[in-house]
Each structure stands twice: as structure tokens, then as C-alpha cells.
């Protein structure tokens, strides 16, 4: 019933607001909510079915059909770009992606083979690109999506190549003083330095640093796009600065582990640590030929003195920090993910 309810709510949305035949007690928001519950939530539950577990050909064929259906849903129901989605809706989409591609290297290879075309994989690639545009200020979506798309050797290699050559970095809108002094709005853009808001094309007149790009910076003169799509989203600026996302991932893992050793991590920081460990676990397991260069990656120039300077030390410290608080199912799962990354 989900598509029918959603189509009906869309039809009513397009009606004039003063239409006399509108049902008095009808709520478009309620109808849309029910449609989402019947559609995306039911889709996620369907993927938990016993018949869709395992790695045999029948499961792959079934999931291939579901993957195409999921792509159609993304394209047809205007869920993209993801910047305007509430966090719980984006989490639902990523959960479906993870369940759908679990133990399915053929489907992951199929995705990477056609990702940059305009065919069936295009909506899934748009979902991935939307996650990439939030990185590293909100790195969890990209890391979760790439972990899901890393099943199998070739897919893991493609995921590593993707994250190692990011064309942009997303950072929070800077504080009001920096916004006023360093950020210049472009033609047609809107900026209120006192309120700390900006929207549209911008450039920076001075070099900008951020804890989200440890050891790095946004060069003076760099152009960016400021996005603020409502109360459910985080205002950010997407800077046209190339970055090695894998290096950033390892650097952030080092810093989060060090922070966790010295004090409590926030829920968002725990989520980032878990997502980073999950992605690293996947690629170390499925792309062992890349393990040696990854293990030799030195981030000592990007982290504070005394913080782990390599992936193994960072994961070991993360395991120590996580294992100190095994008080919930979530913390146990997170610790298991980190342990798996250390023993792929």
C-alpha cells in the first residue's frame, strides 16, 4: 500500500489549498508518514526474511530485483538529494543498503561497474554522492555506504579508490567572526554574518582550518557552496578542495580514540568511530592487497603528539576505549566491529 498512499498524498499536495472537496480531517503529513511506514520501513523488514540470507545464487537473484526496486524508489519518490532528509530517514536508506548488499559481491561489482552511467545504478550513485558531499563534517553516512558497497575484492578496491580521491570537503559554517572576516558571498548568495547564516556560492579570503580536516586547511581563494535546507539538517559549506578521505578517516579514528581515552565521547563521535571501524574492517577483509599500504599510512603530522600515528595503533586504542563500557547491545556490537577490523 505504500506507493498508493504516497501517490495519493502527492496528488492532494498539488491541489489548490482552497479546494472545496478536500476532506476536512485529511492530513497530507499523516498520509505521507503512513506511506513511508508502509514503504521504506516495510522494505527494510523484508530484507530480514530468512529467504534473503546467505550467499547462494537464489538469494543474489532476489536481492538483485530488490536493488533495482530500491533504485526506482529513490528516483521516483524524490528522496534525493539527501541534504534535506531528516537523519532518521537517511539512516533507514543506509540500513536498507547495508542489508541488501550483505554478502553480495556480485551486486556490489554491478554497482561500481555502472555507477557513473545514467542507468539503473544512477540513483544509488546519487545516494552515495550525497553522502560524500557531507564528508567529513558528517562522515558516518559516507563510511556506512562505502562499507555496504565493499563486499568482494573488486568492490572493495573501487570503494578505496573512491574515498581516496574526494573532489570536495564539507565543513560547518564558521563562527560569526570568521564568517564576517573570511567568507565572501557570491552573486545571488545570501549571508547574515550576525545571525551566522549563509546560503549559495561563497569564497574564502583567508586560509581556514578545522578539526574535521586535521593537519589540513582550505586554501585562501577556494570556492564553496553553502547549504542550509531547514531545521532537520546541519548548515554546511561544501568546499571544492580535493582530499584523501582514507587519510582523513584514519586521522579521525586516531583523534576519537585519544579523546575517548581521556574522557567520554558524544553519541555522534561514537557513531563516527564505529562507522570508520566498519569501513576499515570491510576493505581490509575484502581487499588484502591494499592492507600493506594502509597499514603503513603515517598520520603523525596530522594528529596531536602522543596520538596513534597508524591504523593498527588507532584500532587497538579504539578497542581498549570501547571495551571499557560494554553496557549495551550497541556498545558490544561496536566493540565486535573494531575487533573484526583488527583481525580481518
Amino acid at each position: 500500500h505504500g506507493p498508493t498512499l504516497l501517490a495519493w498524498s502527492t496528488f492532494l499536495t498539488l491541489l489548490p489549498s482552497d479546494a472545496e472537496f478536500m476532506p476536512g480531517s485529511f492530513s497530507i503529513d499523516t498520509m505521507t508518514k503512513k506511506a513511508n511506514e508502509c514503504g521504506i520501513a516495510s522494505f527494510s523488514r523484508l530484507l530480514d526474511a530468512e529467504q534473503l540470507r546467505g550467499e547462494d545464487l537464489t538469494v543474489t537473484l532476489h536481492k538483485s530485483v530488490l536493488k533495482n526496486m530500491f533504485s526506482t524508489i529513490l528516483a521516483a519518490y524524490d528522496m534525493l538529494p539527501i541534504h534535506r532528509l531528516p537523519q532518521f530517514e537517511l539512516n533507514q536508506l543506509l540500513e536498507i543498503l547495508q542489508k541488501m548488499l550483505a554478502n553480495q559481491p556480485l551486486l556490489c561489482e554491478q554497482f561500481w561497474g555502472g555507477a557513473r552511467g545514467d542507468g539503473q545504478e544512477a540513483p544509488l550513485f546519487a545516494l552515495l554522492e550525497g553522502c560524500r558531499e557531507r564528508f567529513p563534517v558528517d562522515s558516518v553516512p559516507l563510511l556506512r555506504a562505502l562499507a555496504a558497497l565493499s563486499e568482494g575484492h573488486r568492490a572493495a578496491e573501487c570503494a578505496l579508490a573512491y574515498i581516496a580521491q574526494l573532489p570536495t570537503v564539507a565543513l560547518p559554517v564558521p563562527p560569526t567572526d570568521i564568517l564576517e572576516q573570511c567568507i565572501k558571498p557570491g552573486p545571488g548568495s545570501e549571508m547574515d554574518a550576525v545571525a551566522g547564516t549563509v546560503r549559495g556560492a561563497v569564497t574564502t579570503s583567508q586560509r581556514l582550518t578545522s578539526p574535521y580536516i586535521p593537519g589540513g586547511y582550505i586554501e585562501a581563494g577556494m570556492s564553496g557552496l553553502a547549504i542550509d535546507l531547514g531545521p532537520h539538517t546541519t548548515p554546511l559549506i561544501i568546499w571544492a578542495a580535493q582530499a584523501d578521505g582514507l587519510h582523513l578517516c584514519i586521522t579521525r579514528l586516531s583523534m576519537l580514540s585519544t579523546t575517548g581515552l581521556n574522557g567520554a565521547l558524544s553519541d555522534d563521535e561514537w557513531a563516527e568511530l564505529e562507522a570508520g571501524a566498519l569501513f576499515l574492517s570491510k576493505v581490509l577483509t575484502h581487499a588484502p592487497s591494499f592492507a600493506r599500504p594502509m597499514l603503513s599510512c603515517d598520520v603523525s603530522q596530522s594528529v596531536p603528539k602522543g596520538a596513534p600515528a597508524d591504523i593498527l595503533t588507532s584500532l587497538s586504542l579504539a578497542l581498549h576505549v570501547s571495551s571499557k563500557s560494554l553496557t549495551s547491545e550497541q556498545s558490544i556490537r561496536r566493540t565486535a566491529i573494531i575487533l573484526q577490523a583488527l583481525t580481518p
Side-chain angles (χ1 to χ4, degrees), residues 3-301:
T4 303
L5 290 170
L6 191 54
W8 178 237
S9 66
T10 302
F11 169 73
L12 291 172
T13 302
L14 297 175
L15 288 176
S17 58
D18 58 350
E20 297 180 357
F21 50 87
M22 285 283 283
S25 61
F26 184 84
S27 168
I28 293 173
D29 290 339
T30 300
M31 183 64 77
T32 303
K33 181 179 178 181
K34 289 183 178 179
N36 287 334
E37 289 173 352
C38 293
I40 293 298
S42 293
F43 198 105
S44 181
R45 288 193 295 271
L46 172 64
L47 290 166
D48 293 327
E50 186 68 33
Q51 299 93 319
L52 295 177
R53 298 178 183 177
E55 305 177 41
D56 60 72
L57 181 59
T58 302
V59 173
T60 299
L61 292 175
H62 287 162
K63 285 194 169 183
S64 178
V65 173
L66 292 174
K67 181 169 76 71
N68 291 340
M69 183 185 299
F70 184 53
S71 293
T72 302
I73 290 172
L74 290 175
Y77 294 153
D78 201 24
M79 293 180 178
L80 305 171
I82 68 167
H83 298 297
R84 60 189 174 192
L85 290 180
Q87 190 63 46
F88 79 92
E89 290 187 12
L90 177 57
N91 286 339
Q92 277 190 320
L93 298 182
L94 294 174
E95 183 179 81
I96 288 173
L97 190 69
Q98 186 174 359
K99 291 180 179 180
M100 188 166 54
L101 298 178
N103 302 312
Q104 296 299 322
L106 289 178
L107 297 186
C108 289
E109 290 178 17
Q110 182 185 67
F111 165 79
W112 289 110
R116 299 184 186 275
D118 58 359
Q120 190 66 46
E121 309 300 333
L124 286 180
F125 187 65
L127 174 63
L128 178 64
E129 286 282 271
C131 294
R132 187 264 301 164
E133 288 176 348
R134 301 166 73 108
F135 186 89
V137 66
D138 182 11
S139 64
V140 174
L142 178 62
L143 294 173
R144 288 183 61 189
L146 287 177
L149 292 162
S150 296
E151 297 285 346
H153 181 74
R154 291 179 59 187
E157 288 184 355
C158 289
L160 281 169
Y162 180 90
I163 197 173
Q165 301 178 43
L166 299 180
T168 61
V169 292
L171 300 177
V173 174
T176 54
D177 57 335
I178 298 178
L179 189 63
E180 184 176 17
Q181 296 173 15
C182 304
I183 305 302
K184 307 299 181 184
S189 300
E190 303 173 3
M191 188 173 85
D192 185 341
V194 176
T197 60
V198 61
R199 182 180 299 175
V202 298
T203 57
T204 175
S205 59
Q206 299 181 31
R207 178 181 291 185
L208 299 178
T209 59
S210 170
Y212 293 100
I213 47 173
Y217 52 84
I218 302 299
E219 189 61 83
M222 186 66 68
S223 60
L225 179 64
I227 296 178
D228 184 356
L229 295 174
H232 299 296
T233 60
T234 302
L236 51 85
I237 300 179
I238 303 173
W239 296 101
Q242 295 184 346
D244 182 346
L246 181 60
H247 187 277
L248 283 177
C249 177
I250 298 173
T251 301
R252 288 289 296 168
L253 179 65
S254 170
M255 296 184 68
L256 289 170
S257 301
T258 303
T259 301
L261 183 66
N262 298 326
L265 293 175
S266 67
D267 290 343
D268 288 344
E269 288 173 330
W270 275 124
E272 182 181 354
L273 189 150
E274 179 178 331
L278 177 63
F279 171 66
L280 294 173
S281 171
K282 287 282 187 177
V283 295
L284 286 171
T285 298
H286 296 295
S289 60
F290 282 79
R292 185 178 297 276
M294 285 177 65
L295 295 176
S296 62
C297 180
D298 184 355
V299 298
S300 58
Q301 298 300 313

